[in-house]
Amino acid sequence: MSTAEQPVDIATGWTPEPGASMSLHADAYTRPHWFETDQSAIIRRSWQWVCHGEKLRDPGSYVTEDIGGMPIVALRDTDGVLRAFYNVCQHRAHHLVEGEGAIRNLVCPYHAWSYDLTGRLKAARHTGNLENFDPGTICLDAVQVEEFGGFIYVNLDPAAAPLAEQAGDLGNEIANWAPDVNELTFAHRLSYTIDSNWKNVVDNFLECYHCHVAHKDFVSLVDMDTYEVTTHGIYSSHMAEAGKTDNTAYDVSDATVTDHAVWWLWPNTCIMRYPGRGNMIILKIIPAGPNRSYETYDFFLESAEPNEAELESIRYLDEVLQVEDINLVESVQRGMETPAFTQGRIVNDPAGSGLSEHALHHFHGLVLDHYRAAAAEGTTP
């Protein structure tokens, strides 16, 4: 790593006090080195959202996921234990399963080596004559997995503390604001490819300083006078009254949820409860390159078929709010790739209003902490 890419340079101008701080250095959003550091030091060492708990309630149920370029399978074994493994056969490294569904064993489609749902090798064809080959010593590489707040998360770092321990009061907050989360069911997914670094997408999510300017319909849905942002250890909460009056975003005349309750969970998961019927929306921001990200929005509703008001809210998010936000972050990315910008001031409101960028500043601090830790360990790419 060159001297110009050391974390101390990326951190120049950032201070622990948001009212005196600059933002993260633009190089962190544009240089390939920092993208690789994000993958190795952040994504592969943090708790990553996989699915709603409903997908893994039954023995034999499984889902696959890619975490920082690593293939993972999470499943419920025959005894009801939640497990996760690298989705990689121990014979020749072929993947074992794709997508999601129900299985009795994990059978590699390459040479049919078979593993039970605890990850132990059960059968390997034509290996009886091999010397020093003991099937009982072969098992899949396990990955940490946890059910938290109604959802399944995995962590590739075997030394990581449990999510419930790291997240402090987040579980209680979700249970308080969304007591029906376990009863909700998957209803719809929106997917996007964005020409922007993933951290720009998170930055945009973490402040509503731009909302009056860029989201005219949103600020008619959410009462910005009640918007409050609070930062915690590895998450921030974004709360406001919402959906109580006519607005230009979508119909809320029959809403039973009349609050905007949103949590950002380090590093790239956003948990949202919008006005309407009982609901939870999970936004996952997936790093794909120095200037490329993917997003998935998963809608969990009271029924698998959205009602008309929910279809209208999905259309609003897809055709209005997302269009506005994607245009914003792509413009920011282009600006960061010019010599005209290095970093900017954090706009801070000590009262924690929605017009403050202190949650963005909090995110930048966590990014820098992980960069420094990786550099100290000598684990940066």
Side-chain angles (χ1 to χ4, degrees):
M1 180 168 54
S2 70
T3 302
E5 291 176 326
Q6 293 290 337
V8 65
D9 296 314
I10 290 295
T12 299
W14 187 93
T15 71
E17 172 51 52
S21 185
M22 301 292 284
S23 63
L24 196 59
H25 196 285
D27 282 0
Y29 299 81
T30 60
R31 292 197 178 190
H33 166 79
W34 292 110
F35 171 73
E36 294 302 325
T37 302
D38 288 345
Q39 292 284 66
S40 62
I42 295 177
I43 301 302
R44 296 175 194 152
R45 302 190 70 171
S46 59
W47 286 96
Q48 294 288 306
W49 183 86
V50 175
C51 65
H52 190 286
E54 69 171 348
K55 284 193 177 180
L56 296 181
R57 283 183 182 149
D58 298 327
S61 55
Y62 78 92
V63 297
T64 59
E65 186 59 274
D66 181 284
I67 305 296
M70 302 293 166
I72 302 300
V73 56
L75 56 82
R76 185 77 63 176
D77 74 15
T78 53
D79 292 326
V81 177
L82 185 63
R83 299 182 184 272
F85 306 97
Y86 283 94
N87 187 15
V88 176
C89 181
Q90 297 298 292
H91 173 223
R92 294 280 297 284
H94 199 278
H95 71 273
L96 295 166
V97 286
E98 294 182 346
E100 60 187 62
I103 49 175
R104 298 177 64 182
N105 297 290
L106 292 157
V107 181
C108 180
Y110 195 7
H111 299 101
W113 279 33
S114 175
Y115 304 82
D116 67 21
L117 300 188
T118 70
R120 293 174 296 187
L121 182 65
K122 287 183 62 178
R125 299 166 51 246
H126 304 296
T127 57
N129 295 324
L130 299 184
E131 297 180 9
N132 302 317
F133 180 75
D134 181 3
T137 65
I138 298 175
C139 60
L140 301 177
D141 275 8
V143 171
Q144 288 206 72
V145 62
E146 189 171 335
E147 187 162 7
F148 176 82
F151 297 94
I152 307 297
Y153 296 81
V154 299
N155 194 321
L156 304 189
D157 181 2
L163 177 55
E165 178 182 319
Q166 291 189 36
D169 289 334
L170 177 58
N172 291 331
E173 288 189 31
I174 293 173
N176 178 61
W177 288 86
D180 57 350
V181 63
N182 290 315
E183 284 69 54
L184 301 176
T185 190
F186 175 76
H188 193 73
R189 167 171 280 195
L190 297 172
S191 299
Y192 306 92
T193 298
I194 304 174
D195 291 331
S196 177
N197 185 273
W198 72 280
K199 296 188 292 296
N200 267 330
V201 182
V202 175
D203 286 352
N204 183 70
F205 180 89
L206 288 177
E207 53 90 357
C208 218
Y209 181 46
H210 70 281
C211 290
H212 286 94
V213 180
H215 301 315
K216 303 297 186 184
D217 299 303
F218 179 82
V219 297
S220 75
L221 174 69
V222 174
D223 182 354
M224 292 300 297
D225 290 337
T226 67
Y227 204 115
E228 183 176 358
V229 180
T230 309
T231 60
H232 308 269
I234 64 164
Y235 75 98
S236 58
S237 60
H238 307 248
M239 304 297 183
E241 295 179 5
K244 296 184 177 181
T245 60
D246 290 339
N247 66 86
T248 58
Y250 61 87
D251 180 21
V252 293
S253 57
D254 293 324
T256 56
V257 174
T258 55
D259 291 291
H260 173 76
V262 174
W263 300 268
W264 165 80
L265 174 62
W266 166 263
N268 58 331
T269 300
C270 305
I271 306 164
M272 301 178 280
R273 189 164 169 96
Y274 268 41
R277 286 199 303 171
N279 71 91
M280 194 68 90
I281 308 167
I282 302 294
L283 162 60
K284 186 171 183 180
I285 302 164
I286 305 165
N291 58 1
R292 177 65 59 87
S293 303
Y294 303 132
E295 280 187 339
T296 57
Y297 276 82
D298 286 282
F299 293 78
F300 301 93
L301 306 174
E302 293 181 10
S303 59
E305 293 296 328
N307 64 23
E308 186 54 42
E310 288 163 340
L311 288 173
E312 185 179 343
S313 70
I314 292 170
R315 285 193 295 269
Y316 162 69
L317 195 152
D318 182 33
E319 299 175 8
V320 179
L321 191 60
Q322 273 297 95
V323 172
E324 293 167 345
D325 276 331
I326 290 172
N327 286 338
L328 292 172
V329 299
E330 290 186 340
S331 177
V332 168
Q333 185 69 32
R334 291 191 297 271
M336 285 187 169
E337 291 170 352
T338 72
F341 182 86
T342 300
Q343 56 192 154
R345 282 298 297 263
I346 297 293
V347 175
N348 181 59
D349 176 4
S353 74
L355 300 181
S356 179
E357 295 178 324
H358 62 286
L360 180 153
H361 172 266
H362 171 246
F363 169 55
H364 291 180
L366 290 173
V367 169
L368 291 172
D369 286 346
H370 283 71
Y371 284 177
R372 294 188 189 103
E377 295 170 359
T379 56
T380 53

